[in-house]
Amino acid sequence: MTAHSNIYPTKALQELDAAHHWHPFSDMKSLNEEGSRVITHADGVWLTDSDGKRILDGMAGLWCVQVGHGRREIADAVYKQMNELSYYNTFFKTTHPPAIALSEKLAKLAPAHMNKVFYCSSGSEANDTVFRMVRTYWDKMGKPEKKVIIGRWNGYHGSTLAGTSLGGMKAMHGQGDLPIPGVHHIDQPYWFGEGHEMSPEEFGVFAARKLEETIDEIGEDKVAAFIAEPIQGAGGVIIPPETYWPEIRRILKERDILFVSDEVICGFGRLGEWFGADYYGTKPDLMPIAKGLTSGYLPMGGVMVSDRVAEGLMLAGGEFYHGYTYSGHPACAAAALANLEIIEREGLVERVKTDIGPYLQERWLKLGDHPLVGEARMKGLMGALELVPNKKDPHKPFENVGTVGTICRDISFGNGMVMRAVRDSLIISPPLVLTHEEADFLVKTAEKTLDDTYQVLKKDGWLG
Ligand code: PMP
């Protein structure tokens, strides 16, 4: 078969897919029995499947399609670049105009003290780069005993060895005997699920002080870095209480360890600022980036490096033995530049802050009144609904965690909208170009999905 212009019936595509295609993060046995949904086209915030059904892409692909699907301008920029220089490496004392232009652009957009970028092809590779950079930095600084990196339970930093290890997904650790040595995890600032016996403000400070306790237990002289997402995405859009980041900032300021703000989801406007670090006023030493950098049009990631770390790594000269064939790939860099140009020209970051962000938040939060919802939360354009069996006792979860979330996710798909299930919560992260009308559709569909799910659960005796 050919890749374009689908002429095959859905069933034939599903059978071929089941025969040869191994999907990421999937139970292949049950997926092959059920059959994958085949997406054939996308435009703006709308996907079309192989049966011609239109579906609102409430997840912006996988948290990445900031500018919406089908932007001709990005395709044209890539086409032009591929005709000029489709590929050359950046290893052998060589560079090329797209990598130069993109690096200059990123240095301008990033916080003022971050002026260099190391390229790779994904968020996972960015975090593998972080892992080696952090330890190499301390070696160069004459402190090779500073090796431990602290992450958070239920944090997500990718699925390579370092990415999985730095992340705190226990099910992932169970496959491949991870984490690798020298990684510690502290509890997450998940008030709804783990902290509701305190006020959110108290819990924010309490959760932040876990970092302080852990650094002091291990010894500041042995701790290299702390890594965290400004808001946990894959963990279920965990928005920390307002007191969390200021307290983390205090703790980090008092101790000489590096801070890594994983901006793979929060970067490029998702919170109404260019980076989550701008939103929360943290001062990272390193920032892994990916996803919204190219709006997913081509795979590209990177690590933004602060002046402090860059100077440290270059201090005595010597090579950093690290890099990828596709580091700074010219076509990907061209896609990133065209994408950033659209974000700037259309004022999408500002739009999240002052227009579509508040518009959607106001309506999304009202879904918290639904009998199935224990909490509705949203920041910028990322939100979650916690589904609970009994609204009067909202922190008590469903039995068989994950089943109800999946039921509701499937109903949402059927109703014409992608929401993602994490445990028994439903999450969204729509493209930043979402219009008011589309936001209305999103909320209306979410409401209908909750109603439909409620009926199914009631019939099957799930509700308390
Ligand atoms: N960090 C964060 C915060 C992420 O959300 C992700 C992906 N969801 C990654 C890293 C890994 O990125 P990738 O899938 O591109 O490897």
Side-chain angles (χ1 to χ4, degrees):
M1 69 173 284
T2 60
H4 333 282
S5 307
N6 174 43
I7 51 161
Y8 297 88
T10 299
K11 188 121 189 25
L13 291 168
Q14 287 175 328
E15 278 168 13
L16 263 182
D17 192 69
H20 305 296
H21 180 192
W22 198 297
H23 292 233
F25 283 93
S26 300
D27 173 344
M28 288 311 293
K29 188 164 181 296
S30 70
L31 178 61
N32 288 346
E33 283 158 15
E34 199 181 322
S36 299
R37 187 181 295 269
V38 185
I39 305 298
T40 54
H41 297 85
D43 186 33
V45 304
W46 296 97
L47 309 171
T48 307
D49 75 9
S50 50
D51 295 328
K53 184 178 168 68
R54 266 161 63 85
I55 306 159
L56 188 136
D57 184 3
M59 282 302 297
L62 204 46
W63 321 87
C64 52
V65 189
Q66 318 299 71
V67 299
H69 298 274
R71 307 293 295 242
R72 179 81 196 240
E73 193 176 331
I74 302 180
D76 287 346
V78 170
Y79 179 80
K80 191 160 171 273
Q81 181 55 48
M82 282 198 163
N83 281 317
E84 259 172 44
L85 176 72
S86 56
Y87 173 73
Y88 197 68
N89 73 68
T90 48
F91 283 38
F92 308 136
K93 298 187 180 174
T94 51
T95 186
H96 46 67
I100 297 168
L102 181 59
S103 310
E104 184 201 23
K105 181 91 216 161
L106 288 169
K108 276 202 185 114
L109 297 176
H113 67 290
M114 309 191 90
N115 288 295
K116 292 210 169 2
V117 53
F118 190 105
Y119 291 111
C120 53
S121 303
S122 68
S124 298
E125 285 179 3
N127 280 317
D128 276 50
T129 303
V130 159
F131 196 95
R132 300 196 63 212
M133 230 177 216
V134 158
R135 288 185 168 179
T136 307
Y137 169 81
W138 287 116
D139 287 346
K140 296 247 177 193
M141 299 307 289
K143 296 186 177 173
E145 64 291 349
K146 273 168 101 64
K147 287 278 186 281
V148 173
I149 306 182
I150 300 174
R152 302 184 301 181
W153 293 118
N154 201 38
Y156 188 81
H157 301 294
S159 69
T160 50
L161 290 182
T164 303
S165 298
L166 296 171
M169 300 293 179
K170 288 184 184 161
M172 288 176 72
H173 289 170
Q175 296 177 329
D177 297 325
L178 299 171
I180 44 184
V183 180
H184 284 240
H185 298 88
I186 58 169
D187 288 339
Q188 57 181 334
Y190 180 24
W191 178 80
F192 183 83
E194 298 175 4
H196 54 270
E197 268 135 35
M198 297 176 215
S199 71
E201 293 72 26
E202 283 167 344
F203 178 68
V205 173
F206 174 83
R209 292 207 178 140
K210 296 278 178 192
L211 176 63
E212 189 165 46
E213 286 160 26
T214 303
I215 298 170
D216 293 346
E217 251 166 53
I218 299 168
E220 186 184 336
D221 55 336
K222 295 201 174 58
V223 179
F226 172 56
I227 180 166
E229 304 150 79
I231 290 177
Q232 289 153 259
V237 184
I238 311 290
I239 302 171
E242 292 302 320
T243 49
Y244 182 75
W245 281 114
E247 184 66 2
I248 292 278
R249 235 168 32 221
R250 175 193 66 78
I251 294 162
L252 290 172
K253 217 167 162 189
E254 289 173 14
R255 288 162 181 77
D256 191 21
I257 68 173
L258 299 178
F259 173 50
V260 184
S261 181
D262 185 335
E263 300 280 349
V264 170
I265 285 179
C266 294
F268 304 102
R270 175 84 22 221
L271 300 182
E273 299 285 347
W274 275 99
F275 296 97
D278 299 323
Y279 184 86
Y280 283 114
T282 55
K283 195 165 177 255
D285 297 290
L286 294 167
M287 294 199 311
I289 54 175
K291 297 190 189 276
L293 169 61
T294 59
S295 278
Y297 279 69
L298 283 178
M300 187 174 222
V303 179
M304 297 299 310
V305 184
S306 64
D307 298 341
R308 170 191 177 181
V309 172
E311 280 158 24
L313 282 170
M314 290 188 288
L315 196 61
E319 187 170 331
F320 180 41
Y321 303 109
H322 184 82
Y324 306 97
T325 301
Y326 302 127
S327 287
H329 192 290
C332 302
L337 281 162
N339 170 58
L340 296 174
E341 154 79 25
I342 293 174
I343 296 180
E344 284 194 307
R345 191 179 65 234
E346 297 183 1
L348 296 182
V349 178
E350 185 62 24
R351 189 169 181 270
V352 172
K353 188 178 189 165
T354 59
D355 177 6
I356 189 62
Y359 185 87
L360 184 60
Q361 283 155 26
E362 191 190 329
R363 286 153 183 81
W364 182 260
L365 296 185
K366 287 200 184 120
L367 296 172
D369 297 336
H370 193 279
L372 204 53
V373 177
E375 182 183 73
R377 54 179 182 264
M378 187 170 232
K379 274 262 190 241
L381 278 189
M382 59 199 289
L385 301 172
E386 296 270 1
L387 308 187
V388 295
N390 180 0
K391 208 176 167 72
K392 293 204 187 84
D393 187 6
H395 302 288
K396 189 163 162 264
F398 281 105
E399 278 168 26
N400 297 325
V401 170
T403 312
V404 168
T406 307
I407 292 172
C408 189
R409 192 263 323 266
D410 291 349
I411 290 175
S412 180
F413 243 119
N415 284 340
M417 182 165 78
V418 180
M419 292 197 278
R420 176 171 167 185
V422 178
R423 297 178 301 279
D424 290 321
S425 59
L426 269 292
I427 62 176
I428 56 157
S429 166
L432 313 188
V433 292
L434 187 81
T435 63
H436 287 206
E437 296 70 42
E438 288 160 348
D440 292 343
F441 176 90
L442 186 156
V443 174
K444 215 169 73 209
T445 309
E447 196 169 2
K448 175 168 167 34
T449 297
L450 291 169
D451 288 344
D452 294 351
T453 307
Y454 189 81
Q455 292 311 324
V456 170
L457 299 184
K458 202 161 130 194
K459 188 161 79 42
D460 296 347
W462 280 90
L463 301 176

